[in-house]
Amino acid sequence: MLSVLRNRTYRHLFTAQVIALVGTGLATIALGLLAYDIAGADAGSVLGTALALKMVAYVAIAPAAGAVADLLPRRTLMVGTDLTRAAVALALPFVTQVWQVYVLIFLLQSASALFTPTFQAVIPDVLPDERDYTRALSLSRLAYDTESLFSPALAAALLPLMTYNWLFLGTVAGFLASATLVLSAMLPKHVSPEPNDTGAHAKATAGIGQFLATPRLRALLALDLAVAAAGAMVTVNTVVLVRDELNRSTADVSLALGAYGAGSTALALLLPRALDRISDRTVMLCSALLLTPLFTALAVLTATGSGTWRWPALLSIWAAFGAASSMVLTPTGRLLRRSAPPEKRTAVFAAQFSLSHSCWLLTYPTAGWLGAVAGLQTAVIALGLTALTAALLAVRLWPSREPGAVEHEHNDLHAGHPHVVGALRTPGGWRHSHHLPADGLHP
């Protein structure tokens, strides 16, 4: 897996991603402490609103990444958004009002909504080989999971030595380092679409249109909803399950969240070899269907009032949730890469970023509000049914075969006649035309 780091450009980009993730993790912890200083007992409400603003920014702003990427060089766009995020993080320690927190968080997350899909769309160009790209996706998943464990540990080590405001400076340093590394990377030349008179709004929504027009990407949206149902259950209700249902300590909350991360990490490490032999469709659909028996087990756990078995059972369920989610999320980039030609790739990655976060915008309040109003078991059943419906819908939407091709012809300047080059357009997506297997994989 680490062999892809021999590629200098990818090594710089991956390092930028890791450093920025750590900086973001520190900011998340510092933001919670800042909210408590400003709002006291209402800090939870402030953080909840900030989280909602984050999702709104992701859903609303991300589609514009495709249009902006056609106007600006990708390096300029990524460096500019990194500098914007650094400036926002630098301002956060000086806020004194709740509304200032909301404004700055929305600006920071809007910049992230432009940066992330652009960054994701660059990687397939840097690593054109399918196997290398698959290993890069696993490394990216591993980076996210490791950060969720490393950032809290780093913050715990730093906070006895300094006030939480200094953590924001760590975030600033992270974004500045990310910008420097992106600036130093030699990015492949971006293939721009042919100029046209399409309006800005149409350009911004073109990626969503293309996303929804591709059968396997419609299935991917359903899979995103299934994963969001499981992820929201873990993120929102772990503390309730551990503290109230199982009467465990505060430290056990971190242990339960760590089990979820451990499951995700383990599968991220194993997936590259598995995907060399098993199709993405099989891996992703089976993983989504696995969520239903896991929700069933969780419903049994919450319905049982006592028993020492419930704590190891919860850890096992959380680890399995993490593993199943990783098996869906890790191959996602491969589907997006195959489903659009290079010049439209940023728009499709941006569409996926926006649409997938709209799923989280739905499941977060379901997990929180329904659990608080109707009870935790009701929330488990509702999210379990959501995951089951989404998984079955994905099976129906994703055809087992996507035959047929429409060849794009370009003039051969040397031979003087049109011939097939570049890419083939199939009902399921785009693939290179150099006699590849039907699923678009390199032999």
Side-chain angles (χ1 to χ4, degrees):
M1 182 188 297
L2 297 178
S3 60
V4 294
L5 294 175
R6 296 172 187 164
N7 183 304
R8 180 183 182 277
T9 298
Y10 175 69
R11 185 170 65 250
H12 281 219
L13 293 176
F14 178 70
T15 305
Q17 179 190 26
V18 170
I19 294 174
L21 281 174
V22 173
T24 302
L26 292 176
T28 301
I29 296 166
L31 182 63
L33 297 171
L34 173 64
Y36 187 79
D37 266 2
I38 295 176
D42 293 330
S45 174
V46 173
L47 289 175
T49 303
L51 182 62
L53 285 173
K54 171 183 175 179
M55 293 301 162
V56 169
Y58 282 0
V59 172
I61 303 299
V68 176
D70 293 339
L71 302 175
L72 295 174
R74 293 182 295 184
R75 180 189 284 108
T76 301
L77 176 58
M78 289 191 289
V79 171
T81 51
D82 262 340
L83 294 178
T84 300
R85 296 192 291 182
V88 171
L90 187 61
L92 277 169
F94 301 101
V95 303
T96 57
Q97 301 293 325
V98 170
W99 69 267
Q100 296 169 344
V101 174
Y102 295 156
V103 170
L104 290 174
I105 290 301
F106 186 79
L107 287 175
L108 188 148
Q109 302 301 345
S110 295
S112 294
L114 293 174
F115 176 92
T116 303
T118 306
F119 177 91
Q120 291 172 336
V122 166
I123 304 302
D125 293 340
V126 173
L127 299 172
D129 181 79
E130 183 92 11
R131 294 189 179 193
D132 287 344
Y133 182 53
T134 301
R135 280 146 183 79
L137 291 174
S138 292
L139 276 178
S140 179
R141 184 78 254 152
L142 189 62
Y144 276 101
D145 293 335
T146 303
E147 180 278 323
S148 67
L149 301 174
F150 177 73
S151 293
L154 179 60
L158 292 175
L159 284 173
L161 306 175
M162 60 186 68
T163 63
Y164 69 83
N165 283 334
W166 288 97
L167 297 183
F168 287 119
L169 293 184
T171 303
V172 174
F175 288 137
L176 291 178
S178 173
T180 301
L181 287 163
V182 171
L183 197 60
S184 69
M186 299 295 294
L187 302 185
K189 185 177 180 181
H190 179 51
V191 181
S192 300
E194 295 182 0
N196 55 57
D197 296 329
T198 306
H201 180 268
K203 287 182 178 180
T205 57
I208 292 178
Q210 184 170 349
F211 191 99
L212 297 178
T214 306
R216 61 182 166 196
L217 295 188
R218 292 201 297 271
L220 176 59
L221 180 57
L223 292 172
D224 285 332
L225 179 58
V227 168
M233 189 70 219
V234 173
T235 303
V236 175
N237 287 319
T238 292
V239 64
V240 179
L241 276 163
V242 173
R243 299 288 287 144
D244 292 346
E245 290 288 322
L246 302 181
N247 296 315
R248 307 286 300 191
S249 67
T250 303
D252 286 336
V253 175
S254 298
L255 187 58
L257 292 173
Y260 178 86
S264 180
T265 299
L267 263 294
L269 290 171
L270 296 174
L271 266 179
R273 290 184 180 275
L275 291 173
D276 287 341
R277 300 185 298 272
I278 307 172
S279 71
D280 294 345
R281 182 181 187 274
T282 299
V283 169
M284 297 174 77
L285 292 180
C286 289
S287 302
L289 290 169
L290 175 63
L291 294 174
T292 297
L294 293 176
F295 269 109
T296 302
L298 184 60
V300 172
L301 187 151
T302 55
T304 306
S306 62
T308 57
W309 62 270
R310 295 198 302 161
W311 173 237
L314 179 67
L315 294 179
S316 300
I317 293 169
W318 259 217
F321 268 148
S325 298
S326 183
M327 291 170 71
V328 173
L329 296 174
T330 301
T332 292
R334 289 160 53 108
L335 265 65
L336 299 175
R337 179 189 184 217
R338 296 174 192 160
S339 300
E343 67 271 15
K344 295 184 179 179
R345 199 170 280 156
T346 301
V348 171
F349 271 89
Q352 197 276 334
F353 188 81
S354 173
L355 293 171
S356 65
H357 281 92
S358 69
C359 296
W360 289 89
L361 195 57
L362 173 66
T363 57
Y364 269 141
T366 300
W369 298 340
L370 192 60
V373 173
L376 190 59
Q377 191 168 29
T378 302
V380 171
I381 294 172
L383 290 171
L385 290 174
T386 299
L388 174 61
T389 302
L392 294 176
L393 182 60
V395 172
R396 181 176 180 82
L397 290 174
W398 194 339
S400 57
R401 292 186 178 182
E402 298 172 308
V406 177
E407 298 177 348
H408 278 250
E409 296 183 342
H410 300 265
N411 290 329
D412 186 342
L413 298 180
H414 299 287
H417 63 277
H419 76 301
V420 179
V421 297
L424 297 180
R425 176 69 166 93
T426 73
W430 290 81
R431 60 184 176 88
H432 296 291
S433 61
H434 302 292
H435 306 289
L436 297 183
D439 64 352
L441 290 173
H442 288 278

